[in-house]
Amino acid sequence: MTETLTTARPGTRKRAEGFWPLLIRRFLKHKLAVFGMVVLVLLALVAVFAPLIAPYTFDGQDLTIIGQPQPPSRAHLMGTDQLGRDAFTRVLYGARISLMVGLFSALLATGLGTLIGALAGYYRGFIDTLLMRFTDVVLCIPLLPLVIVLSGILRPSVPLLIMIVGGLSWMGTARLVRGQFLSLREREFVEASRALGGRDNRIMFRHILPNAVGPIIVSTTLSVGGAIMLESALSFLGLGVQPPTPTWGNLLNYASQWLTAAPWLALFPGLMILLTVLSVNFLGDGLRDAFDPRN
């Protein structure tokens, strides 16, 4: 049996693959993550261009059919509600609020959690103990009842709802970032920067934080799905964004009165919530696998 050896010619060695091309290649191998990303991009485009796509205004009424929801038809793809409003149009406009609350509250929670976790993990000692015990106290408070109480008192607008949801969802990110900083602060590149006179804020946010960005991105994507579910639950209970502005949650609230006579009113916003949250979770799984150095 003969064995063939292949020798590379001088100057033809394969160049090492860069970090971002390698990351993209790993991500594209995860088919569900790619599907989730495509779905989320399409939903974002639909939300942004809803006034151009929707055939009617979100509060426009067909006065000839008021009183009884109408089933899907050529004129109304998802039917109409009891006030003669087009369900397809209201689902499109509802995507704008639900996605906005989900995205920006997740970004707010990530920002707060990253700051608190970075301070706790880098300085350790008294600061770490103080910040982590505060985090533990907030974690002990049931999230949904607290958000319900605040929403019931404040009757929030969209910006205020983002602040409430994001301001009460940062704890998991804080603990994650703390663990990353505790590990990375002892690495050689941090010691070298400290020996060269680097200031603490430069070391934390210029040297350590970029090396912890992978888990933070994954945590952010998964937080979006949780924020959308929370906003939908609040709107379903009548404590989120108030009518006449449509969200997927308050569309389900309206539809709850017609589940037997007009189930399509609940079917379409419910499917949109399901599809969005599944896509976010698929995307988070793909990013987690792509950032995992063991892959």
Side-chain angles (χ1 to χ4, degrees):
M1 181 176 182
T2 60
E3 184 175 347
T4 303
L5 299 178
T6 303
T7 58
R9 295 180 180 177
T12 61
R13 288 188 303 174
K14 185 178 179 180
R15 181 179 298 178
E17 190 172 11
F19 173 74
W20 290 109
L22 178 62
L23 184 72
I24 294 173
R25 183 168 60 82
R26 289 175 177 172
F27 178 79
L28 293 177
K29 287 182 178 180
H30 200 296
K31 302 304 181 185
L32 287 177
V34 175
F35 167 78
M37 182 180 67
V38 171
V39 170
L40 292 175
V41 169
L42 291 177
L43 286 174
L45 292 175
V46 165
V48 171
F49 296 106
L52 301 178
I53 300 173
Y56 308 96
T57 59
F58 70 86
D59 56 353
Q61 295 176 276
D62 187 345
L63 300 180
T64 63
I65 55 175
I66 288 181
Q68 181 69 29
Q70 299 298 311
S73 63
R74 183 174 299 178
H76 303 284
L77 297 179
M78 295 184 182
T80 64
D81 63 10
Q82 67 275 22
L83 297 179
R85 297 175 297 190
D86 183 63
F88 176 68
T89 298
R90 292 178 63 77
V91 167
L92 291 184
Y93 276 88
R96 308 183 86 182
I97 303 300
S98 296
L99 293 178
M100 184 187 303
V101 172
L103 177 60
F104 286 104
S105 60
L107 292 176
L108 176 60
T110 299
L112 289 174
T114 299
L115 179 62
I116 292 173
L119 293 174
Y122 183 80
Y123 288 109
R124 300 190 299 184
F126 173 75
I127 294 179
D128 181 24
T129 301
L130 179 65
L131 292 177
M132 287 300 101
R133 296 298 77 77
F134 173 69
T135 302
D136 292 339
V137 169
V138 180
L139 277 172
C140 291
I141 303 173
L143 177 61
L144 183 58
L146 178 60
V147 174
I148 288 175
V149 170
L150 292 177
S151 299
I153 295 173
L154 301 175
R155 290 293 175 176
S157 60
V158 173
L160 188 55
L161 185 60
I162 291 173
M163 293 179 64
I164 291 174
V165 175
L168 296 174
S169 307
W170 52 266
M171 295 78 71
T173 303
R175 296 172 73 92
L176 174 67
V177 173
R178 173 183 176 268
Q180 293 290 316
F181 268 66
L182 285 173
S183 173
L184 292 170
R185 74 183 303 275
E186 306 299 336
R187 301 286 291 273
E188 291 81 1
F189 67 90
V190 176
E191 294 294 336
S193 178
R194 192 178 290 116
L196 292 173
R199 293 179 297 179
D200 288 343
N201 60 348
R202 180 179 178 84
I203 294 173
M204 281 192 294
F205 299 109
R206 185 70 180 271
H207 297 292
I208 300 180
L209 185 59
N211 288 278
V213 71
I216 294 174
I217 291 176
V218 175
S219 176
T220 303
T221 57
L222 297 178
S223 297
V224 172
I228 291 174
M229 292 291 291
L230 186 57
E231 183 278 328
S232 299
L234 290 175
S235 296
F236 179 77
L237 296 173
L239 299 173
V241 177
Q242 298 301 305
T245 304
T247 71
W248 290 336
N250 63 31
L251 290 179
L252 287 175
N253 186 15
Y254 299 146
S256 63
Q257 308 170 31
W258 301 91
L259 287 178
T260 302
W264 59 87
L265 292 179
L267 176 63
F268 294 112
L271 285 177
M272 295 301 292
I273 294 173
L274 175 63
L275 181 62
T276 303
V277 175
L278 276 178
S279 298
V280 169
N281 288 335
F282 289 154
L283 179 62
D285 288 342
L287 290 174
R288 181 192 60 202
D289 293 344
F291 279 106
D292 190 346
R294 292 171 296 181
N295 291 332

PDB file of all heavy atoms in Angstrom, residues 12 146 171 268:
ATOM      1  N   THR A  12       2.707  29.286  -0.643  1.00  0.00           N
ATOM      2  CA  THR A  12       1.305  28.943  -0.874  1.00  0.00           C
ATOM      3  C   THR A  12       0.642  28.439   0.396  1.00  0.00           C
ATOM      4  O   THR A  12      -0.356  27.755   0.333  1.00  0.00           O
ATOM      5  CB  THR A  12       1.192  27.865  -1.967  1.00  0.00           C
ATOM      6  OG1 THR A  12       1.890  26.692  -1.523  1.00  0.00           O
ATOM      7  CG2 THR A  12       1.783  28.361  -3.268  1.00  0.00           C
ATOM      8  N   LEU A 146     -44.402  42.593  39.641  1.00  0.00           N
ATOM      9  CA  LEU A 146     -43.856  43.936  39.836  1.00  0.00           C
ATOM     10  C   LEU A 146     -44.135  44.819  38.623  1.00  0.00           C
ATOM     11  O   LEU A 146     -44.535  45.983  38.775  1.00  0.00           O
ATOM     12  CB  LEU A 146     -42.347  43.844  40.092  1.00  0.00           C
ATOM     13  CG  LEU A 146     -41.620  45.178  40.281  1.00  0.00           C
ATOM     14  CD1 LEU A 146     -42.191  45.941  41.463  1.00  0.00           C
ATOM     15  CD2 LEU A 146     -40.126  44.947  40.471  1.00  0.00           C
ATOM     16  N   MET A 171     -30.656  41.637  35.340  1.00  0.00           N
ATOM     17  CA  MET A 171     -29.905  40.890  36.357  1.00  0.00           C
ATOM     18  C   MET A 171     -29.123  39.714  35.774  1.00  0.00           C
ATOM     19  O   MET A 171     -27.983  39.453  36.164  1.00  0.00           O
ATOM     20  CB  MET A 171     -30.855  40.416  37.447  1.00  0.00           C
ATOM     21  CG  MET A 171     -31.487  41.540  38.259  1.00  0.00           C
ATOM     22  SD  MET A 171     -32.846  42.354  37.415  1.00  0.00           S
ATOM     23  CE  MET A 171     -34.107  41.099  37.474  1.00  0.00           C
ATOM     24  N   PHE A 268     -54.010  35.079  14.301  1.00  0.00           N
ATOM     25  CA  PHE A 268     -52.929  35.740  13.577  1.00  0.00           C
ATOM     26  C   PHE A 268     -51.959  36.490  14.504  1.00  0.00           C
ATOM     27  O   PHE A 268     -50.738  36.326  14.365  1.00  0.00           O
ATOM     28  CB  PHE A 268     -53.500  36.664  12.508  1.00  0.00           C
ATOM     29  CG  PHE A 268     -54.215  35.910  11.421  1.00  0.00           C
ATOM     30  CD1 PHE A 268     -55.592  36.014  11.261  1.00  0.00           C
ATOM     31  CD2 PHE A 268     -53.518  35.073  10.570  1.00  0.00           C
ATOM     32  CE1 PHE A 268     -56.243  35.315  10.260  1.00  0.00           C
ATOM     33  CE2 PHE A 268     -54.162  34.367   9.562  1.00  0.00           C
ATOM     34  CZ  PHE A 268     -55.538  34.488   9.406  1.00  0.00           C
TER      35      PHE A 268
END
